[in-house]
Amino acid sequence: MVLHFIINNTKINYPFLKEITNVKDKEEHKIILCAGDTQVLLNAPMLLAFKNVVHMDFNSNKTVKNRKEEILGYIKDAKNIYWHGLLCMPTALISMILKEKDVLKKSVWIVFDEDFKIAKALKIKAAKDKKFKKANNQLIVLRHNVQHIICSSAAQSQQLKIQFNIVPSKKKDITTMFYPPNYDTSLYLKNVYDSLNVSAEKKPLVMLNHKITDNGFVAMDLISGFLDKIDLNIPVNFGMYYLPKYKTGIPELLMRMKMMQYGIDDNCILNAKRSNNQYIDYVSSVDIAVFNFSEWMAYNLIVLLGFFRKKVFLSEKSSLYKYLLSVGFPVFRTEDIPTMDYYDFIKPAEYNKKVYFWIEQQLISEKNALIWNAYYNNLIKKTK
């Protein structure tokens, strides 16, 4: 049996679950949805007919206690265990698996961008408050003892080295395989692209990141000189995997204070939770994205912006900025915005054929789905 522990992030997991249910011998896979409200995933069409799905609310100590033997039974029977976002897993589950001998030897960590964010947030918390020290130490043990890692890009592999000092070795195998794309409607993507209309009369729509750590709301400060000439959107989805105290209303409060400073209307705040097609429609309507974070974030969103040939600003401190430059993606530095005039700021980005082919391969090609399909079919053969 191949066991999958999957956190509740519909945008990331929906296409992956679709591929799992398409592989041969799909009955050899068991999926455990293990965090929060997973009703959206449970009602996903491909899972309604897929019997090997179990929902466990690991955020409840009662669930862990009552179903401990069941969980350990799955782990014991599994030939391979796939952790989709290992560091995103609920604390109760992490505590349990660290007590079990040899679990990490048969585990595969499929890296999510959220893994890096959670690890950094928890490290900061642990430095300020001793009660977070144990949880931080558990994540350190996890990431350094799992022996098989799958990254979605070479740059993500590089991020493992930079942030965690994790590199390939005889004892640690690191593979690069792009996680199935979030958008399961290739034709819809193309249709939206073909129907795009560029109007010189409308104000350009600028998307900002909502991040408050590190640089605060510097992104809003950077574009303050253009606010009367642009329409502004701030998608708000404050990270469902962060520690409970990190999910308070403080980020939104600070953001609203910054908005009040510049006289920005609340209408610019958008809830980022929406269907795939709604998400595609929204991203296609954006003209410019200003993401001033310093770590690896929003990779899939930026690739989708590139598909629609939008202009993207990133901080030069971000490893993602350096990676995008290396593949020829026309990314701009947020640090340059203060010296730009309005027309330089809104000037469209130019995408050459080579980088646009690279973008298409990740978003609308079936290549990644086929790779995963073959990978899992081969894996099942090995476990029989």
PDB file of all heavy atoms in Angstrom, residues 278-304:
ATOM      1  N   GLN A 278     -12.769  30.945 -11.581  1.00  0.00           N
ATOM      2  CA  GLN A 278     -12.850  32.304 -11.033  1.00  0.00           C
ATOM      3  C   GLN A 278     -11.447  32.848 -10.771  1.00  0.00           C
ATOM      4  O   GLN A 278     -11.170  34.031 -10.993  1.00  0.00           O
ATOM      5  CB  GLN A 278     -13.664  32.301  -9.745  1.00  0.00           C
ATOM      6  CG  GLN A 278     -15.153  32.073  -9.937  1.00  0.00           C
ATOM      7  CD  GLN A 278     -15.883  31.926  -8.622  1.00  0.00           C
ATOM      8  OE1 GLN A 278     -15.320  31.498  -7.610  1.00  0.00           O
ATOM      9  NE2 GLN A 278     -17.149  32.303  -8.603  1.00  0.00           N
ATOM     10  N   TYR A 279     -10.583  31.985 -10.278  1.00  0.00           N
ATOM     11  CA  TYR A 279      -9.201  32.378  -9.988  1.00  0.00           C
ATOM     12  C   TYR A 279      -8.488  32.766 -11.284  1.00  0.00           C
ATOM     13  O   TYR A 279      -7.790  33.785 -11.352  1.00  0.00           O
ATOM     14  CB  TYR A 279      -8.498  31.207  -9.306  1.00  0.00           C
ATOM     15  CG  TYR A 279      -7.099  31.496  -8.810  1.00  0.00           C
ATOM     16  CD1 TYR A 279      -6.888  32.351  -7.737  1.00  0.00           C
ATOM     17  CD2 TYR A 279      -5.993  30.894  -9.405  1.00  0.00           C
ATOM     18  CE1 TYR A 279      -5.605  32.605  -7.269  1.00  0.00           C
ATOM     19  CE2 TYR A 279      -4.715  31.136  -8.941  1.00  0.00           C
ATOM     20  CZ  TYR A 279      -4.529  31.992  -7.876  1.00  0.00           C
ATOM     21  OH  TYR A 279      -3.266  32.242  -7.416  1.00  0.00           O
ATOM     22  N   ILE A 280      -8.660  31.950 -12.319  1.00  0.00           N
ATOM     23  CA  ILE A 280      -8.060  32.242 -13.621  1.00  0.00           C
ATOM     24  C   ILE A 280      -8.576  33.572 -14.164  1.00  0.00           C
ATOM     25  O   ILE A 280      -7.818  34.409 -14.655  1.00  0.00           O
ATOM     26  CB  ILE A 280      -8.351  31.098 -14.614  1.00  0.00           C
ATOM     27  CG1 ILE A 280      -7.560  29.846 -14.209  1.00  0.00           C
ATOM     28  CG2 ILE A 280      -7.989  31.511 -16.045  1.00  0.00           C
ATOM     29  CD1 ILE A 280      -7.964  28.601 -14.971  1.00  0.00           C
ATOM     30  N   ASP A 281      -9.899  33.778 -14.068  1.00  0.00           N
ATOM     31  CA  ASP A 281     -10.504  35.025 -14.545  1.00  0.00           C
ATOM     32  C   ASP A 281      -9.898  36.227 -13.827  1.00  0.00           C
ATOM     33  O   ASP A 281      -9.590  37.253 -14.447  1.00  0.00           O
ATOM     34  CB  ASP A 281     -12.022  35.013 -14.330  1.00  0.00           C
ATOM     35  CG  ASP A 281     -12.734  34.059 -15.272  1.00  0.00           C
ATOM     36  OD1 ASP A 281     -12.154  33.728 -16.329  1.00  0.00           O
ATOM     37  OD2 ASP A 281     -13.859  33.643 -14.949  1.00  0.00           O
ATOM     38  N   TYR A 282      -9.750  36.097 -12.504  1.00  0.00           N
ATOM     39  CA  TYR A 282      -9.209  37.218 -11.727  1.00  0.00           C
ATOM     40  C   TYR A 282      -7.760  37.516 -12.128  1.00  0.00           C
ATOM     41  O   TYR A 282      -7.396  38.669 -12.397  1.00  0.00           O
ATOM     42  CB  TYR A 282      -9.278  36.933 -10.225  1.00  0.00           C
ATOM     43  CG  TYR A 282      -8.461  37.920  -9.436  1.00  0.00           C
ATOM     44  CD1 TYR A 282      -8.826  39.269  -9.404  1.00  0.00           C
ATOM     45  CD2 TYR A 282      -7.301  37.532  -8.784  1.00  0.00           C
ATOM     46  CE1 TYR A 282      -8.052  40.196  -8.724  1.00  0.00           C
ATOM     47  CE2 TYR A 282      -6.523  38.447  -8.106  1.00  0.00           C
ATOM     48  CZ  TYR A 282      -6.904  39.785  -8.077  1.00  0.00           C
ATOM     49  OH  TYR A 282      -6.133  40.695  -7.419  1.00  0.00           O
ATOM     50  N   VAL A 283      -6.931  36.475 -12.169  1.00  0.00           N
ATOM     51  CA  VAL A 283      -5.512  36.682 -12.507  1.00  0.00           C
ATOM     52  C   VAL A 283      -5.371  37.292 -13.888  1.00  0.00           C
ATOM     53  O   VAL A 283      -4.515  38.154 -14.127  1.00  0.00           O
ATOM     54  CB  VAL A 283      -4.729  35.360 -12.387  1.00  0.00           C
ATOM     55  CG1 VAL A 283      -3.285  35.545 -12.870  1.00  0.00           C
ATOM     56  CG2 VAL A 283      -4.732  34.855 -10.944  1.00  0.00           C
ATOM     57  N   SER A 284      -6.220  36.896 -14.822  1.00  0.00           N
ATOM     58  CA  SER A 284      -6.147  37.439 -16.181  1.00  0.00           C
ATOM     59  C   SER A 284      -6.506  38.923 -16.219  1.00  0.00           C
ATOM     60  O   SER A 284      -6.109  39.644 -17.139  1.00  0.00           O
ATOM     61  CB  SER A 284      -7.072  36.660 -17.118  1.00  0.00           C
ATOM     62  OG  SER A 284      -8.440  36.943 -16.842  1.00  0.00           O
ATOM     63  N   SER A 285      -7.253  39.383 -15.205  1.00  0.00           N
ATOM     64  CA  SER A 285      -7.661  40.796 -15.175  1.00  0.00           C
ATOM     65  C   SER A 285      -6.596  41.710 -14.577  1.00  0.00           C
ATOM     66  O   SER A 285      -6.648  42.924 -14.731  1.00  0.00           O
ATOM     67  CB  SER A 285      -8.963  40.953 -14.373  1.00  0.00           C
ATOM     68  OG  SER A 285      -8.733  40.759 -12.980  1.00  0.00           O
ATOM     69  N   VAL A 286      -5.620  41.116 -13.905  1.00  0.00           N
ATOM     70  CA  VAL A 286      -4.538  41.891 -13.281  1.00  0.00           C
ATOM     71  C   VAL A 286      -3.566  42.379 -14.360  1.00  0.00           C
ATOM     72  O   VAL A 286      -3.290  41.675 -15.331  1.00  0.00           O
ATOM     73  CB  VAL A 286      -3.788  41.025 -12.243  1.00  0.00           C
ATOM     74  CG1 VAL A 286      -2.520  41.727 -11.756  1.00  0.00           C
ATOM     75  CG2 VAL A 286      -4.708  40.687 -11.073  1.00  0.00           C
ATOM     76  N   ASP A 287      -3.063  43.578 -14.187  1.00  0.00           N
ATOM     77  CA  ASP A 287      -2.066  44.111 -15.122  1.00  0.00           C
ATOM     78  C   ASP A 287      -0.654  44.026 -14.550  1.00  0.00           C
ATOM     79  O   ASP A 287       0.301  43.730 -15.266  1.00  0.00           O
ATOM     80  CB  ASP A 287      -2.387  45.569 -15.459  1.00  0.00           C
ATOM     81  CG  ASP A 287      -3.708  45.706 -16.192  1.00  0.00           C
ATOM     82  OD1 ASP A 287      -3.805  45.198 -17.322  1.00  0.00           O
ATOM     83  OD2 ASP A 287      -4.643  46.303 -15.627  1.00  0.00           O
ATOM     84  N   ILE A 288      -0.531  44.298 -13.263  1.00  0.00           N
ATOM     85  CA  ILE A 288       0.787  44.351 -12.612  1.00  0.00           C
ATOM     86  C   ILE A 288       0.684  43.698 -11.241  1.00  0.00           C
ATOM     87  O   ILE A 288      -0.286  43.907 -10.509  1.00  0.00           O
ATOM     88  CB  ILE A 288       1.258  45.810 -12.442  1.00  0.00           C
ATOM     89  CG1 ILE A 288       1.338  46.513 -13.803  1.00  0.00           C
ATOM     90  CG2 ILE A 288       2.615  45.868 -11.742  1.00  0.00           C
ATOM     91  CD1 ILE A 288       1.496  48.020 -13.695  1.00  0.00           C
ATOM     92  N   ALA A 289       1.686  42.904 -10.879  1.00  0.00           N
ATOM     93  CA  ALA A 289       1.757  42.307  -9.542  1.00  0.00           C
ATOM     94  C   ALA A 289       3.005  42.816  -8.841  1.00  0.00           C
ATOM     95  O   ALA A 289       4.101  42.774  -9.408  1.00  0.00           O
ATOM     96  CB  ALA A 289       1.786  40.784  -9.637  1.00  0.00           C
ATOM     97  N   VAL A 290       2.837  43.308  -7.616  1.00  0.00           N
ATOM     98  CA  VAL A 290       3.963  43.798  -6.823  1.00  0.00           C
ATOM     99  C   VAL A 290       4.058  42.932  -5.568  1.00  0.00           C
ATOM    100  O   VAL A 290       3.262  43.055  -4.640  1.00  0.00           O
ATOM    101  CB  VAL A 290       3.782  45.277  -6.434  1.00  0.00           C
ATOM    102  CG1 VAL A 290       4.971  45.755  -5.593  1.00  0.00           C
ATOM    103  CG2 VAL A 290       3.642  46.143  -7.684  1.00  0.00           C
ATOM    104  N   PHE A 291       5.031  42.020  -5.550  1.00  0.00           N
ATOM    105  CA  PHE A 291       5.217  41.091  -4.441  1.00  0.00           C
ATOM    106  C   PHE A 291       6.557  41.398  -3.775  1.00  0.00           C
ATOM    107  O   PHE A 291       7.610  41.060  -4.319  1.00  0.00           O
ATOM    108  CB  PHE A 291       5.204  39.644  -4.938  1.00  0.00           C
ATOM    109  CG  PHE A 291       3.900  39.235  -5.581  1.00  0.00           C
ATOM    110  CD1 PHE A 291       3.887  38.291  -6.597  1.00  0.00           C
ATOM    111  CD2 PHE A 291       2.701  39.778  -5.172  1.00  0.00           C
ATOM    112  CE1 PHE A 291       2.695  37.891  -7.188  1.00  0.00           C
ATOM    113  CE2 PHE A 291       1.500  39.406  -5.754  1.00  0.00           C
ATOM    114  CZ  PHE A 291       1.501  38.456  -6.761  1.00  0.00           C
ATOM    115  N   ASN A 292       6.502  41.987  -2.601  1.00  0.00           N
ATOM    116  CA  ASN A 292       7.727  42.477  -1.978  1.00  0.00           C
ATOM    117  C   ASN A 292       8.289  41.535  -0.916  1.00  0.00           C
ATOM    118  O   ASN A 292       9.031  41.947  -0.053  1.00  0.00           O
ATOM    119  CB  ASN A 292       7.481  43.855  -1.356  1.00  0.00           C
ATOM    120  CG  ASN A 292       8.774  44.601  -1.113  1.00  0.00           C
ATOM    121  OD1 ASN A 292       9.584  44.743  -2.022  1.00  0.00           O
ATOM    122  ND2 ASN A 292       8.985  45.058   0.105  1.00  0.00           N
ATOM    123  N   PHE A 293       7.922  40.260  -0.947  1.00  0.00           N
ATOM    124  CA  PHE A 293       8.437  39.335   0.063  1.00  0.00           C
ATOM    125  C   PHE A 293       9.857  38.901  -0.283  1.00  0.00           C
ATOM    126  O   PHE A 293      10.274  38.949  -1.434  1.00  0.00           O
ATOM    127  CB  PHE A 293       7.533  38.107   0.213  1.00  0.00           C
ATOM    128  CG  PHE A 293       6.861  37.660  -1.042  1.00  0.00           C
ATOM    129  CD1 PHE A 293       7.566  37.023  -2.045  1.00  0.00           C
ATOM    130  CD2 PHE A 293       5.510  37.883  -1.223  1.00  0.00           C
ATOM    131  CE1 PHE A 293       6.947  36.586  -3.201  1.00  0.00           C
ATOM    132  CE2 PHE A 293       4.879  37.462  -2.380  1.00  0.00           C
ATOM    133  CZ  PHE A 293       5.597  36.815  -3.371  1.00  0.00           C
ATOM    134  N   SER A 294      10.572  38.443   0.744  1.00  0.00           N
ATOM    135  CA  SER A 294      11.980  38.103   0.553  1.00  0.00           C
ATOM    136  C   SER A 294      12.204  36.605   0.398  1.00  0.00           C
ATOM    137  O   SER A 294      13.301  36.177   0.064  1.00  0.00           O
ATOM    138  CB  SER A 294      12.812  38.613   1.737  1.00  0.00           C
ATOM    139  OG  SER A 294      12.329  38.078   2.961  1.00  0.00           O
ATOM    140  N   GLU A 295      11.167  35.781   0.677  1.00  0.00           N
ATOM    141  CA  GLU A 295      11.354  34.345   0.560  1.00  0.00           C
ATOM    142  C   GLU A 295      10.644  33.787  -0.675  1.00  0.00           C
ATOM    143  O   GLU A 295      10.089  34.523  -1.479  1.00  0.00           O
ATOM    144  CB  GLU A 295      10.872  33.604   1.816  1.00  0.00           C
ATOM    145  CG  GLU A 295       9.424  33.820   2.177  1.00  0.00           C
ATOM    146  CD  GLU A 295       9.232  34.993   3.087  1.00  0.00           C
ATOM    147  OE1 GLU A 295       9.237  36.121   2.548  1.00  0.00           O
ATOM    148  OE2 GLU A 295       9.032  34.822   4.288  1.00  0.00           O
ATOM    149  N   TRP A 296      10.671  32.472  -0.792  1.00  0.00           N
ATOM    150  CA  TRP A 296      10.055  31.776  -1.924  1.00  0.00           C
ATOM    151  C   TRP A 296       8.548  31.690  -1.678  1.00  0.00           C
ATOM    152  O   TRP A 296       8.092  30.970  -0.811  1.00  0.00           O
ATOM    153  CB  TRP A 296      10.659  30.383  -2.039  1.00  0.00           C
ATOM    154  CG  TRP A 296      10.133  29.576  -3.184  1.00  0.00           C
ATOM    155  CD1 TRP A 296       8.929  28.944  -3.245  1.00  0.00           C
ATOM    156  CD2 TRP A 296      10.788  29.320  -4.422  1.00  0.00           C
ATOM    157  NE1 TRP A 296       8.783  28.300  -4.447  1.00  0.00           N
ATOM    158  CE2 TRP A 296       9.916  28.508  -5.188  1.00  0.00           C
ATOM    159  CE3 TRP A 296      12.024  29.681  -4.961  1.00  0.00           C
ATOM    160  CZ2 TRP A 296      10.253  28.051  -6.464  1.00  0.00           C
ATOM    161  CZ3 TRP A 296      12.345  29.222  -6.224  1.00  0.00           C
ATOM    162  CH2 TRP A 296      11.478  28.427  -6.962  1.00  0.00           C
ATOM    163  N   MET A 297       7.760  32.413  -2.446  1.00  0.00           N
ATOM    164  CA  MET A 297       6.307  32.415  -2.291  1.00  0.00           C
ATOM    165  C   MET A 297       5.633  32.651  -3.642  1.00  0.00           C
ATOM    166  O   MET A 297       6.220  33.245  -4.539  1.00  0.00           O
ATOM    167  CB  MET A 297       5.857  33.528  -1.323  1.00  0.00           C
ATOM    168  CG  MET A 297       6.192  33.306   0.133  1.00  0.00           C
ATOM    169  SD  MET A 297       5.739  34.731   1.147  1.00  0.00           S
ATOM    170  CE  MET A 297       3.954  34.721   0.971  1.00  0.00           C
ATOM    171  N   ALA A 298       4.379  32.181  -3.756  1.00  0.00           N
ATOM    172  CA  ALA A 298       3.485  32.498  -4.885  1.00  0.00           C
ATOM    173  C   ALA A 298       4.037  32.055  -6.245  1.00  0.00           C
ATOM    174  O   ALA A 298       3.742  32.666  -7.266  1.00  0.00           O
ATOM    175  CB  ALA A 298       3.189  33.996  -4.907  1.00  0.00           C
ATOM    176  N   TYR A 299       4.796  30.973  -6.271  1.00  0.00           N
ATOM    177  CA  TYR A 299       5.408  30.510  -7.518  1.00  0.00           C
ATOM    178  C   TYR A 299       4.362  30.213  -8.591  1.00  0.00           C
ATOM    179  O   TYR A 299       4.443  30.702  -9.726  1.00  0.00           O
ATOM    180  CB  TYR A 299       6.247  29.264  -7.231  1.00  0.00           C
ATOM    181  CG  TYR A 299       6.901  28.659  -8.450  1.00  0.00           C
ATOM    182  CD1 TYR A 299       8.020  29.242  -9.020  1.00  0.00           C
ATOM    183  CD2 TYR A 299       6.391  27.497  -9.037  1.00  0.00           C
ATOM    184  CE1 TYR A 299       8.633  28.692 -10.128  1.00  0.00           C
ATOM    185  CE2 TYR A 299       6.998  26.936 -10.150  1.00  0.00           C
ATOM    186  CZ  TYR A 299       8.110  27.532 -10.693  1.00  0.00           C
ATOM    187  OH  TYR A 299       8.706  26.985 -11.802  1.00  0.00           O
ATOM    188  N   ASN A 300       3.348  29.400  -8.238  1.00  0.00           N
ATOM    189  CA  ASN A 300       2.332  29.031  -9.230  1.00  0.00           C
ATOM    190  C   ASN A 300       1.554  30.243  -9.715  1.00  0.00           C
ATOM    191  O   ASN A 300       1.202  30.341 -10.894  1.00  0.00           O
ATOM    192  CB  ASN A 300       1.376  27.989  -8.646  1.00  0.00           C
ATOM    193  CG  ASN A 300       2.017  26.622  -8.544  1.00  0.00           C
ATOM    194  OD1 ASN A 300       2.934  26.301  -9.295  1.00  0.00           O
ATOM    195  ND2 ASN A 300       1.554  25.818  -7.607  1.00  0.00           N
ATOM    196  N   LEU A 301       1.267  31.173  -8.801  1.00  0.00           N
ATOM    197  CA  LEU A 301       0.556  32.389  -9.181  1.00  0.00           C
ATOM    198  C   LEU A 301       1.378  33.203 -10.173  1.00  0.00           C
ATOM    199  O   LEU A 301       0.856  33.714 -11.174  1.00  0.00           O
ATOM    200  CB  LEU A 301       0.242  33.223  -7.935  1.00  0.00           C
ATOM    201  CG  LEU A 301      -0.282  34.640  -8.166  1.00  0.00           C
ATOM    202  CD1 LEU A 301      -1.557  34.623  -9.006  1.00  0.00           C
ATOM    203  CD2 LEU A 301      -0.532  35.334  -6.824  1.00  0.00           C
ATOM    204  N   ILE A 302       2.674  33.314  -9.920  1.00  0.00           N
ATOM    205  CA  ILE A 302       3.541  34.097 -10.808  1.00  0.00           C
ATOM    206  C   ILE A 302       3.643  33.453 -12.183  1.00  0.00           C
ATOM    207  O   ILE A 302       3.631  34.135 -13.213  1.00  0.00           O
ATOM    208  CB  ILE A 302       4.934  34.278 -10.164  1.00  0.00           C
ATOM    209  CG1 ILE A 302       4.818  35.210  -8.950  1.00  0.00           C
ATOM    210  CG2 ILE A 302       5.945  34.835 -11.169  1.00  0.00           C
ATOM    211  CD1 ILE A 302       6.062  35.269  -8.089  1.00  0.00           C
ATOM    212  N   VAL A 303       3.720  32.120 -12.229  1.00  0.00           N
ATOM    213  CA  VAL A 303       3.752  31.430 -13.521  1.00  0.00           C
ATOM    214  C   VAL A 303       2.454  31.695 -14.287  1.00  0.00           C
ATOM    215  O   VAL A 303       2.464  31.923 -15.503  1.00  0.00           O
ATOM    216  CB  VAL A 303       3.971  29.918 -13.320  1.00  0.00           C
ATOM    217  CG1 VAL A 303       3.809  29.168 -14.640  1.00  0.00           C
ATOM    218  CG2 VAL A 303       5.363  29.654 -12.755  1.00  0.00           C
ATOM    219  N   LEU A 304       1.319  31.686 -13.568  1.00  0.00           N
ATOM    220  CA  LEU A 304       0.037  31.963 -14.220  1.00  0.00           C
ATOM    221  C   LEU A 304      -0.017  33.408 -14.723  1.00  0.00           C
ATOM    222  O   LEU A 304      -0.512  33.675 -15.822  1.00  0.00           O
ATOM    223  CB  LEU A 304      -1.115  31.700 -13.248  1.00  0.00           C
ATOM    224  CG  LEU A 304      -2.528  31.874 -13.813  1.00  0.00           C
ATOM    225  CD1 LEU A 304      -2.760  30.965 -15.018  1.00  0.00           C
ATOM    226  CD2 LEU A 304      -3.573  31.610 -12.747  1.00  0.00           C
TER     227      LEU A 304
END
